[in-house]
Amino acid sequence: MGTHCLRLRALRCVSARGLPAQPQCKPRVVLGIETSCDDTGAAVVDETGKILGEALYSQKEIHLKAGGIIPPVAQRLHKEHIERVVQEAVDNSGVSPCELTAVATTVKPGLALSLGVGLEYSLKLIEQYKKPFIPIHHMEAHALIIRMLHLVEFPFLVLLVSGGHSLLAVARGVSDFLLLGQTLDEAPGDTLDKVARRLSLRNHPTCCTMSGGEAIEYLAKIGNRLHVELTQPMSQHLDCDFSFSGLRNQVNQIIIKKEREEGFQEGQILSCVNDIAAAVQHTVAAHLAKRTHRAILFCKKEGLLPQPKPALVVSGGVASNEYIRKALRIVTEANGFSLRCPPPKLCTDNGIMIAWFSKPWNPADRQ
Ligand code: KG4
Ligand code: ZN
């Protein structure tokens, strides 16, 4: 299997030693700002991982109505809400802006127009309050938020699954990732969002305000996956990469056929919508679990993880999915791995993970 080093490191403007010393041992506090996609998030977190204040504005409903994220619309909504969101997080924290140790902001990857809003706003803040700026890599923040909640030692295996990414890597240290596999086409969250759109779930009375992934999980609960036949992606590929676009094409064909059978037009909710959701969710879960299993076997063979009790960390929006977690638990338990997933609120985009990841002052974290 081909592996290569993934340097996810964003340009770091301050070093561990570059941050101001804290008088009287008061924990240092960072304001984190996230605007990489369609969530405007902010949080004030101290170096012990205590969340002092947080706020989040989700643009989800507007994009659901529009049938997808339109970058200039996302940019405008970030601009309209960033001030209020940051203000709310700071006010709730009881920390005055002057007391902040630094401002940390997502700088990549993401939608350029969305990222620009967070960056511009942060630069104004650091200028106004004369604070250091810490640029943050969004995926690194997803990968390491687990360490705010549990003591997970490096190195560990990490599966990051969101609307923009699908990757398996060995996290060897902060900003040091060995990439084992990634998606060859689209990310699983993107696939679930597109399937939900094609199923016209914005017209569904219960699911109309849910993200595609949430809606599929909700509908799948009472669906029978065996009623819809889907082929597993990449079953012949002996590596840890992912592919989801073929699955989406299969589902589209099935939907077209069912619409014809039911005499429906696109826009109406099919009677078999729960079965389709269950089959798609199962196929995504099985694909993620199989590739993760391959990565576990590879790590064992190469001695890349500590024994006993190596860990698999799963994060990103799609990691909120209980069915997918269950599938991964089967694989981890069978292989002597512990499975660590942040709570759903910390799996999806938020300012907390950005503030937490900016914690560069503890030398133990850098190992
Ligand atoms: O990490 P995230 O908030 O944003 C990105 O960085 O992409 O992930 C958003 C993605 C969306 O595609 C959404 O449909 C998916 O996560 N998602 C879910 C669930 N909740 C959100 N997918 C499956 N099951 C869920 N419960
Ligand atoms: Zn994300």
Side-chain angles (χ1 to χ4, degrees), residues 142 145-146 149 313-316 319 325 340-347:
H142 269 309
I145 184 61
I146 193 70
L149 311 165
V313 168
V314 188
S315 191
R325 287 183 185 210
R340 295 289 190 190
C341 310
K345 178 185 153 181
L346 294 178
C347 281

Side-chain angles (χ1 to χ4, degrees), residues 73-85:
V73 174
Q75 180 191 40
R76 176 176 57 75
L77 292 168
H78 280 303
K79 278 187 181 165
E80 284 171 14
H81 292 274
I82 191 160
E83 175 123 35
R84 179 188 60 76
V85 167

Side-chain angles (χ1 to χ4, degrees), residues 138 142 162 349 353:
H138 183 80
H142 269 309
S162 69
D349 292 351
M353 67 180 190

Side-chain angles (χ1 to χ4, degrees), residues 33 103-105 117-127 133:
I33 298 179
V103 176
T105 306
V117 179
L119 188 57
E120 197 181 314
Y121 188 81
S122 305
L123 295 179
K124 259 197 271 170
L125 276 184
I126 61 162
E127 180 59 31
F133 176 65

Side-chain angles (χ1 to χ4, degrees), residues 17-287:
R17 271 160 234 90
L19 288 173
Q22 194 67 10
Q24 296 158 357
C25 299
K26 231 173 143 189
R28 286 172 282 196
V29 285
V30 169
L31 166 65
I33 298 179
E34 157 64 34
T35 65
S36 67
C37 188
D38 59 346
D39 290 306
T40 318
V44 178
V45 177
D46 79 13
E47 63 189 304
T48 68
K50 192 165 167 202
I51 302 161
L52 304 173
E54 57 170 309
L56 186 75
Y57 165 71
S58 171
Q59 308 175 354
K60 192 170 64 188
E61 285 188 35
I62 291 158
H63 297 309
L64 280 172
K65 280 190 193 126
I69 298 174
I70 302 163
V73 174
Q75 180 191 40
R76 176 176 57 75
L77 292 168
H78 280 303
K79 278 187 181 165
E80 284 171 14
H81 292 274
I82 191 160
E83 175 123 35
R84 179 188 60 76
V85 167
V86 171
Q87 188 78 51
E88 199 179 314
V90 173
D91 285 353
N92 292 345
S93 74
V95 173
S96 92
C98 308
E99 293 173 301
L100 291 170
T101 310
V103 176
T105 306
T106 307
V107 295
K108 68 174 182 182
L111 301 173
L113 292 178
S114 293
L115 287 166
V117 179
L119 188 57
E120 197 181 314
Y121 188 81
S122 305
L123 295 179
K124 259 197 271 170
L125 276 184
I126 61 162
E127 180 59 31
Q128 186 180 352
Y129 294 102
K130 304 286 175 256
K131 298 292 171 189
F133 176 65
I134 308 176
I136 302 293
H137 192 293
H138 183 80
M139 298 315 290
E140 288 182 349
H142 269 309
L144 298 196
I145 184 61
I146 193 70
R147 283 162 56 88
M148 195 179 87
L149 311 165
H150 301 282
L151 186 71
V152 184
E153 303 279 4
F154 293 116
F156 56 84
L157 181 62
V158 61
L159 170 67
L160 294 179
V161 274
S162 69
H165 288 83
S166 189
L167 64 86
L168 272 161
V170 177
R172 300 187 289 203
V174 174
S175 302
D176 181 9
F177 292 77
L178 176 72
L179 185 65
L180 303 182
Q182 61 189 324
T183 184
L184 301 178
D185 36 60
E186 60 195 42
D190 191 21
T191 307
L192 294 172
D193 291 341
K194 284 173 176 155
V195 168
R197 224 175 288 149
R198 185 59 188 80
L199 285 167
S200 306
L201 298 186
R202 67 176 171 174
N203 298 332
H204 189 283
T206 320
C207 300
C208 54
T209 58
M210 296 179 187
S211 69
E214 283 174 286
I216 297 288
E217 180 170 25
Y218 174 83
L219 294 171
K221 286 197 173 103
I222 55 159
N224 185 341
R225 68 177 175 85
L226 300 174
H227 289 173
V228 178
E229 204 177 315
L230 292 171
T231 319
Q232 264 300 317
M234 298 183 83
S235 48
Q236 307 301 319
H237 291 238
L238 303 180
D239 56 31
C240 295
D241 286 334
F242 303 92
S243 168
F244 296 95
S245 62
L247 168 65
R248 182 162 55 80
N249 288 336
Q250 280 186 71
V251 180
N252 282 348
Q253 294 310 314
I254 288 168
I255 295 172
I256 290 168
K257 186 164 163 266
K258 297 280 182 194
E259 280 172 348
R260 245 184 248 137
E261 281 169 16
E262 295 192 15
F264 276 14
Q265 305 265 322
E266 188 172 341
Q268 289 176 279
I269 309 288
L270 289 168
S271 63
C272 57
V273 69
N274 297 83
D275 296 342
I276 294 177
V280 174
Q281 177 177 254
H282 176 80
T283 311
V284 168
H287 185 44

